[in-house]
Amino acid sequence: MGIKMNKFDEDALKIIFLIKRKPAILVDKSVSCLRSFLDGFAIGYSFPNTRSVFPDFQNYVEQYYHCNLAISWNQILLLHTNSEENAFFLFLKYLNNFWKRTR
């Protein structure tokens, strides 16, 4: 069940690894700031054919938490943590697990 990485996904992953090493790039260690940053990256990178960064990650988080609410992965993580910063680090952990499972 592998997900084939294209140039867009590879570049997004490189940026996330950079943010993981230097979270100050975002000003705040916040899952909401991270989501906004990734959305902006996706729009800038793929305009006018805007797409999401790691679209299958949404399903991964929904399945992990057995969540059928119509909310985004960052909101789901916020519901299961007590802060933006904890949700930020949870995203990094889950993204790592997601890529390991889908390769």
Side-chain angles (χ1 to χ4, degrees), residues 2 25 39-40 45 60 62 64 83-84 95:
I25 291 171
D39 288 346
Y45 192 101
Y60 175 80
E62 288 174 0
Y64 184 87
S83 72
E84 286 274 346
L95 184 66

Side-chain angles (χ1 to χ4, degrees), residues 1-44:
M1 169 197 182
I3 292 177
K4 186 177 179 187
M5 291 215 345
N6 56 38
K7 179 85 168 111
F8 174 77
D9 294 329
E10 289 173 2
D11 289 347
L13 203 53
K14 286 177 189 174
I15 288 173
I16 290 171
F17 288 142
L18 177 63
I19 291 170
K20 185 176 181 179
R21 284 192 312 272
K22 298 182 181 191
I25 291 171
L26 294 179
V27 179
D28 270 335
K29 293 177 197 160
S30 157
V31 75
S32 296
C33 287
L34 177 63
R35 176 64 189 247
S36 294
F37 181 88
L38 292 175
D39 288 346
F41 168 80
I43 290 168

Side-chain angles (χ1 to χ4, degrees), residues 58 61-63 65-71 76 79-80:
Q58 176 73 33
V61 172
E62 288 174 0
Q63 289 175 1
Y65 285 107
H66 307 287
C67 179
N68 354 343
L69 302 172
I71 59 176
I76 295 170
L79 286 174
H80 292 89

